[in-house]
Amino acid sequence: MLNQRRRAGFLLPACSSILLLLACTRAAAQTPGYDSTIARLGPTTIQPGTDKDGAQLLKRLNGVIVENKAGAAYLSSLNISGMGERYNQVLFNGAPLPSFSPTGRAWPLDLIPVETIEEVRVFKIASSSIPAGAAGGTIAIRTRDMPDHNFFYIKAGGGFSSATTGKDFYSDKRSGGEWLSFPGSVRNLPGAFPTTRSQFSLDQLNPQEQVAQSKALSNNLAPVNHGSAKPNDNVALAFGRVISLKKGETIGILALINHQGAERIDGSTVQAVPDLPANLYPFADGSKPLVKSLSEDIHYRYTSQLGATLNASILFGNSKISLKNFFSHRFTNTYTRRSQLFKPDEDSLAHTGINYLTEQTTFLHTQLSGEHALGGDGKFKLSWQASYAYLRQQNPDERNFLLRQDTVNGNTYEIARPQVILSVDPLNPNSQRTIDPSFTNSARQWRDATEHNFTGSVGILVPFHVSGQEQVLSGGVSIQSKYRVLHSDLLLTRGTGYYSLNDLLAPERYFPGGLTVANYFINGRSIFAASNSAYIDGTNRGNYVASSNLGSAYIMLEDHLMRSLSLNWGLRLESNSQLVSSTQYAYSAGFKNPQLLTIDENTRVTNTDVLPSVELVYRPLSKVQLHAAGFRTVSRPELQELSAYRHYDALSFMVTTGNQLLANSLVSNYDIGVDWFPHTGSHIAVAGFYKKIDQPIENILSPYSNSVGNLASTPYNTPSADVRGLTASFRTNLSFIADAGWLTDLTFFAGGSWLTSSASGGAIKSTVTPNVVEHKLSGSPDRTMNAGVVIQVPRCPMLTVLYNRIGDYISALGSGTRYRLPNAAEVSAIPDYRVKDRDQLDIQISQKLFKARIQLIAGVNNLTNSAYTEYQDLNGNKKYDQPLSLIIKNNSGGFFNGGVDNTVLSIKAQRTYYLTVSYLFR
């Protein structure tokens, strides 16, 4: 890949924005060619031989921890310098990469082929040129657009997981295109079926019409045995061409298409909602159930994904214009077989369950950008870009069924019978449900979220001299606009009688008095009262529309006061507006098209933030550099977090809700550190930091309605938090050892963070949980560490070893009455959810053959076989002790049998092995 091009004596840096132009400029000015606050991996160090995909590549950046999100294995969250996912961001070719998680920040980083990545950087100290959405760090990924030479590349590989291969694999019924990630319409609602966007709801039809519509629903509850689990597959084709024109212009084209497929079987244990008020530690009362909701689950996950990259650029004169396109489509179908299931507020006789979750994600990112060197000597740099990102996430026919199993004939089942559900009169707002049927385990749901993201920016960089010292003045403006729409349909399913899974949802079972379905979300009906206003059911928030607009401008000066002293300072202004409205579709007589009605007040968050930054860099010695920095950043809620939309995760017995009162969090950041460059290729750094977070956003657990078996997780602004920490890192190639030149081919690196955080206790804007106690900031562990070694000895196999460790941290705050235990510790009625510390070791070895045309790559992920464990500390000692052991008796769930801490979720670990072969045609 060409890192830079000379044209007419002009050197054009390979930077895709003013942000990266500044990074290039600063790196050139630092000692010795390294910026202590910007870790970087460039073209010479990025290749398939050292990195399997984009997620693994980031693990080689000091201070960056890549975590797979529980329950969404294809999404990765980032921890940078100890700060959790909410405080980090990703820039893709200079534009913010939208989060694929509607309630957090997570991205499918493994979708980005390492073959297309030219450079990654992590900015640990924010400057005014960087979007201010990160207090931990900013990852900047830049893809290739100008190959070194013409080539054609082909790669094929396979792999397997240690606890999957060879076992029978059960899944949903499959369509012909699923192997290519396109399932078609097999799981869609029938075209004529009433939805939340239709003129009439299902219950407005006559009984014969209701039966006819219900019979059209798919009978797809029974799993299909697809035989032994198949190996994973990975295929890629790439093409590159460089075209030189007669007038000196150069055109570069790079294209890649890749496909990945995988089948994986995971086991997990869920123990939710311990009844601590009735039986506190040390759990002396053995006559009462200790944990209310239980499940032993086996997940069969089938994944197919297709990706494509098409980049092109043209170099002419002192300019470069690029068009970059990235497309991915992922299909994931997960069948979960649930056993030993107890959910006391639904059916005490139903202990078996089935869950199907289908995720179809389409992502398109296209960008047009330009870089221009202006002036006679080309010193003035102009950079601009316009990008569009399309994200669609569909969950067609998500099926959650809690079942009774026939004690005589174990192959027949009955849909669970909810124990108490009062009828609701849609015209009487005072009527209530004892148990909200929206969150039962016997329902089918369709969700469809579409998001459009527009980004545009322009910036200029002007170097000049004062007293013989070079100065750099830069500035720019940008705008980001996002529009998001979510539709959902929820069908509650009821029917008595024992049937096989093949017949439980059979069409012939639908008749009055037999199997029935009912819309939970209904439309705003055309019922006009004397006030001439349409009635709207305010409890049915299944749809919403949301938008956000962010305008920003900045000015920045890199001021070289003297040869060894520089001051980088600037000011960024960001004006942000977020608007979210829950909606229903209402039809009026005589009109064909519906009226979009809001069923709650529009949630609008508007802020204008002034965000200064300053960094002082001093080099007292040629190999020593000191820095001190201060900057302000902002953390904003995701759009769905501002909505009243609720989603029930049956597998974790958790209702996730939004909060219409959420506000932005302002973060004041301070950093001081020292860097030592003992010899070429080596760098040692130590830094301390302090962060003051005003009203941080944290998820708080609380009871859900009158349910005794579910919890609710809601984001709130909590009182201010202080974070103090220390980071340390080193990178060296051992070239300083005399008479051992081969040691220059060995690169060792390691980085770690140690921090302490304190979030104040106090009042929050909630009637359910009006106060929080003093606690550690959620999402931020006390320590993180990553390390690795890369061995690249010529003509020998290349070895890459990567190690990551992340400490214990709070994932969601508890709530409720505080209880003092016999050991003098205190616990809440609902204790915090915490993620247990864990580590991961990945090893990859590769060998190039036949003049580097053929490359063999083999590797293993998670060699340490570390499991994911989320727990509640029931004895109040702030650590994970012996896991709580439960027994089943009296047909009512989890009675104490030993142990201390409740394991909310434990996902059993397994190793993944892979092998690929590639061939490069030049």
Side-chain angles (χ1 to χ4, degrees):
M1 180 65 196
L2 295 181
N3 189 39
Q4 54 192 23
R5 286 272 180 173
R6 285 190 183 272
R7 286 293 178 264
F10 169 72
L11 189 64
L12 181 66
C15 297
S16 61
S17 66
I18 285 293
L19 182 152
L20 292 180
L21 283 170
L22 283 167
C24 292
T25 303
R26 294 181 63 191
Q30 299 295 334
T31 308
Y34 189 93
D35 189 331
S36 62
T37 64
I38 306 173
R40 172 184 180 271
L41 295 173
T44 60
T45 57
I46 298 176
Q47 54 181 302
T50 54
D51 310 292
K52 183 182 67 168
D53 52 42
Q56 184 165 306
L57 169 64
L58 296 184
K59 293 179 181 180
R60 290 203 286 130
L61 291 169
N62 276 342
V64 176
I65 302 295
V66 180
E67 276 196 290
N68 287 339
K69 289 185 72 68
Y74 73 98
L75 292 181
S76 298
S77 61
L78 298 173
N79 184 292
I80 302 177
S81 299
M83 298 300 291
E85 65 174 82
R86 191 175 290 276
Y87 301 99
N88 303 299
Q89 65 182 352
V90 175
L91 303 181
F92 189 65
N93 290 321
L97 186 64
S99 172
F100 282 58
S101 171
T103 57
R105 288 190 175 182
W107 304 270
L109 298 173
D110 63 322
L111 281 180
I112 307 175
V114 70
E115 291 90 346
T116 66
I117 300 176
E118 182 171 20
E119 180 186 69
V120 295
R121 295 175 183 261
V122 54
F123 297 84
K124 300 178 184 178
I125 293 181
S127 70
S128 297
S129 61
I130 299 176
T138 298
I139 299 290
I141 301 174
R142 182 161 54 88
T143 58
R144 302 170 182 261
D145 58 5
M146 181 71 73
D148 288 317
H149 45 71
N150 299 339
F151 72 89
F152 181 77
Y153 171 84
I154 183 171
K155 179 178 75 174
F160 65 93
S161 299
S162 58
T164 298
T165 301
K167 295 182 178 180
D168 284 348
F169 192 86
Y170 295 87
S171 183
D172 210 347
K173 296 178 181 179
R174 295 180 183 173
S175 64
E178 289 185 10
W179 69 274
L180 202 58
S181 78
F182 294 96
S185 58
V186 65
R187 295 175 184 84
N188 292 354
L189 271 171
F193 198 93
T195 71
T196 55
R197 282 87 62 206
S198 302
Q199 183 172 3
F200 299 104
S201 295
L202 183 65
D203 61 345
Q204 291 180 290
L205 305 180
N206 63 50
Q208 292 79 10
E209 290 175 321
Q210 292 186 39
V211 170
Q213 292 289 355
S214 301
K215 287 178 179 289
L217 294 171
S218 298
N219 176 19
N220 54 1
L221 193 60
V224 177
N225 188 341
H226 295 277
S228 296
K230 299 175 181 59
N232 305 337
D233 66 84
N234 184 358
V235 179
L237 298 173
F239 164 83
R241 186 168 179 81
V242 181
I243 304 172
S244 298
L245 304 181
K246 293 182 179 180
K247 294 185 179 181
E249 299 90 347
T250 300
I251 297 176
I253 301 173
L254 186 145
L256 180 142
I257 185 169
N258 67 305
H259 175 267
Q260 299 178 53
E263 293 182 345
R264 182 182 173 103
I265 303 173
D266 287 302
S268 68
T269 300
V270 181
Q271 299 177 175
V273 200
D275 190 5
L276 293 189
N279 197 3
L280 288 169
Y281 174 82
F283 321 119
D285 189 349
S287 65
K288 298 177 180 178
L290 180 56
V291 177
K292 298 176 181 177
S293 297
L294 309 171
S295 184
E296 291 287 338
D297 300 337
I298 300 178
H299 313 273
Y300 299 83
R301 181 181 295 112
Y302 171 75
T303 302
S304 176
Q305 59 191 41
L306 182 69
T309 299
L310 178 60
N311 295 344
S313 64
I314 180 170
L315 291 167
F316 58 96
N318 290 345
S319 297
K320 176 182 179 181
I321 294 179
S322 302
L323 177 64
K324 296 184 177 183
N325 303 278
F326 177 76
F327 169 82
S328 71
H329 190 275
R330 184 193 291 262
F331 169 80
T332 302
N333 178 258
T334 304
Y335 158 63
T336 300
R337 185 171 64 202
R338 313 182 72 190
S339 60
Q340 300 183 45
L341 178 57
F342 289 84
K343 192 163 185 296
D345 56 4
E346 281 199 55
D347 190 334
S348 61
L349 300 179
H351 304 308
T352 299
I354 285 180
N355 177 278
Y356 288 97
L357 176 61
T358 299
E359 300 166 286
Q360 298 170 205
T361 303
T362 304
F363 179 65
L364 171 67
H365 189 279
T366 183
Q367 180 188 72
L368 182 66
S369 63
E371 304 162 24
H372 310 275
L374 309 176
D377 52 5
K379 288 184 177 180
F380 301 99
K381 308 295 192 303
L382 174 68
S383 174
W384 56 269
Q385 65 94 5
S387 64
Y388 167 71
Y390 170 82
L391 176 62
R392 186 179 185 186
Q393 297 171 302
Q394 299 168 276
N395 301 111
D397 204 0
E398 177 183 348
R399 282 148 280 162
N400 297 316
F401 280 88
L402 181 63
L403 304 173
R404 293 183 175 187
Q405 187 172 15
D406 193 334
T407 55
V408 178
N409 181 2
N411 293 321
T412 60
Y413 303 85
E414 182 183 47
I415 297 174
R417 304 178 184 181
Q419 297 187 346
V420 181
I421 295 184
L422 302 181
S423 62
V424 177
D425 180 359
L427 298 180
N428 179 10
N430 295 320
S431 65
Q432 296 180 353
R433 298 178 175 91
T434 299
I435 298 175
D436 189 341
S438 170
F439 305 114
T440 68
N441 279 274
S442 300
R444 306 171 73 164
Q445 183 165 229
W446 285 258
R447 288 181 294 160
D448 190 344
T450 303
E451 188 173 293
H452 303 272
N453 297 266
F454 303 88
T455 304
S457 65
V458 61
I460 190 167
L461 183 148
V462 180
F464 60 96
H465 287 80
V466 175
S467 301
Q469 297 293 326
E470 184 180 28
Q471 320 295 319
V472 180
L473 177 66
S474 62
V477 295
S478 67
I479 186 169
Q480 300 172 36
S481 182
K482 176 185 295 185
Y483 180 71
R484 180 179 175 88
V485 179
L486 179 136
H487 298 142
S488 61
D489 292 281
L490 182 66
L491 301 182
L492 309 180
T493 308
R494 301 286 180 266
T496 59
Y498 286 86
Y499 298 85
S500 68
L501 293 179
N502 283 313
D503 297 327
L504 204 58
L505 301 181
E508 57 270 19
R509 289 202 60 209
Y510 292 98
F511 56 86
L515 187 64
T516 62
V517 295
N519 294 100
Y520 176 73
F521 299 124
I522 62 173
N523 298 336
R525 299 175 178 174
S526 301
I527 302 174
F528 290 86
S531 62
N532 199 33
S533 61
Y535 169 74
I536 301 170
D537 182 2
T539 65
N540 296 336
R541 298 180 173 95
N543 306 322
Y544 69 78
V545 296
S547 64
S548 68
N549 293 283
L550 173 65
S552 62
Y554 78 92
I555 185 170
M556 181 174 174
L557 177 64
E558 185 173 333
D559 190 356
H560 293 273
L561 304 175
M562 57 183 67
R563 187 171 184 178
S564 60
L565 182 66
S566 63
L567 179 66
N568 310 315
W569 58 275
L571 187 67
R572 186 176 185 89
L573 182 69
E574 290 193 350
S575 179
N576 171 252
S577 175
Q578 294 174 299
L579 177 64
V580 182
S581 300
S582 299
T583 57
Q584 289 183 342
Y585 293 73
Y587 290 80
S588 299
F591 293 88
K592 178 180 179 181
N593 296 320
Q595 179 183 5
L596 190 64
L597 302 177
T598 59
I599 63 174
D600 50 21
E601 291 186 6
N602 292 344
T603 302
R604 182 186 293 273
V605 178
T606 302
N607 290 96
T608 299
D609 299 305
V610 179
L611 307 165
S613 68
V614 61
E615 181 184 13
L616 184 67
V617 179
Y618 177 54
R619 293 173 291 279
L621 302 172
S622 62
K623 296 183 178 182
V624 176
Q625 177 174 291
L626 308 175
H627 77 266
F631 53 97
R632 177 173 287 182
T633 56
V634 60
S635 175
R636 300 182 178 93
E638 298 297 322
L639 288 176
Q640 185 163 303
E641 291 183 305
L642 289 167
S643 75
Y645 177 73
R646 299 166 297 174
H647 174 250
Y648 178 51
D649 179 9
L651 301 183
S652 62
F653 307 101
M654 182 69 71
V655 179
T656 301
T657 68
N659 180 0
Q660 298 167 292
L661 301 179
L662 276 184
N664 296 343
S665 302
L666 280 176
V667 187
S668 298
N669 306 267
Y670 306 92
D671 190 282
I672 186 170
V674 58
D675 297 81
W676 178 38
F677 308 91
H679 55 83
T680 302
S682 294
H683 169 237
I684 300 172
V686 178
F689 64 84
Y690 169 74
K691 301 179 186 294
K692 179 74 172 181
I693 307 176
D694 180 45
Q695 55 183 16
I697 300 173
E698 301 183 273
N699 290 318
I700 298 180
L701 304 172
S702 62
Y704 177 74
S705 185
N706 294 324
S707 170
V708 297
N710 292 323
L711 292 177
S713 176
T714 308
Y716 289 99
N717 291 109
T718 58
S720 62
D722 297 286
V723 181
R724 298 173 176 83
L726 177 72
T727 62
S729 65
F730 79 88
R731 183 180 296 269
T732 183
N733 60 13
L734 303 184
S735 60
F736 59 92
I737 299 180
D739 301 323
W742 62 274
L743 290 176
T744 60
D745 301 315
L746 277 70
T747 300
F748 295 89
F749 70 90
S753 66
W754 297 264
L755 62 83
T756 177
S757 63
S758 176
S760 303
I764 62 174
K765 296 178 182 179
S766 171
T767 57
V768 179
T769 55
N771 294 280
V772 294
V773 298
E774 184 177 348
H775 58 277
K776 294 184 178 180
L777 182 67
S778 59
S780 297
D782 289 344
R783 60 188 182 278
T784 64
M785 177 183 177
N786 69 331
V789 58
V790 179
I791 303 175
Q792 293 179 279
V793 179
R795 298 181 297 278
C796 293
M798 178 190 304
L799 177 67
T800 303
V801 180
L802 299 174
Y803 175 77
N804 284 260
R805 181 173 182 82
I806 186 166
D808 187 294
Y809 64 89
I810 297 173
S811 59
L813 298 179
S815 66
T817 304
R818 298 283 291 177
Y819 295 94
R820 180 169 291 275
L821 303 177
N823 61 2
E826 289 188 351
V827 297
S828 299
I830 302 175
D832 301 337
Y833 274 19
R834 308 179 67 95
V835 177
K836 183 182 179 296
D837 60 323
R838 56 185 173 136
D839 53 13
Q840 180 166 329
L841 179 64
D842 302 330
I843 297 178
Q844 179 171 292
I845 187 170
S846 67
Q847 176 66 60
K848 294 182 178 180
L849 306 170
F850 299 103
K851 298 181 180 180
R853 294 182 181 271
I854 296 178
Q855 186 172 38
L856 304 176
I857 302 174
V860 55
N861 291 336
N862 196 21
L863 189 61
T864 54
N865 218 25
S866 297
Y868 177 90
T869 301
E870 194 167 15
Y871 72 97
Q872 291 174 294
D873 174 27
L874 301 189
N875 65 350
N877 66 355
K878 308 297 191 233
K879 66 177 183 178
Y880 185 64
D881 298 304
Q882 185 180 359
L884 196 66
S885 173
L886 303 172
I887 58 173
I888 308 300
K889 61 181 181 180
N890 301 331
N891 202 37
S892 59
F895 289 78
F896 176 70
N897 191 46
V900 177
D901 291 330
N902 181 43
T903 304
V904 176
L905 173 64
S906 176
I907 302 177
K908 299 175 177 63
Q910 54 183 310
R911 302 179 181 92
T912 301
Y913 303 86
Y914 59 92
L915 172 68
T916 63
V917 181
S918 63
Y919 191 91
L920 179 65
F921 299 87
R922 295 184 179 178

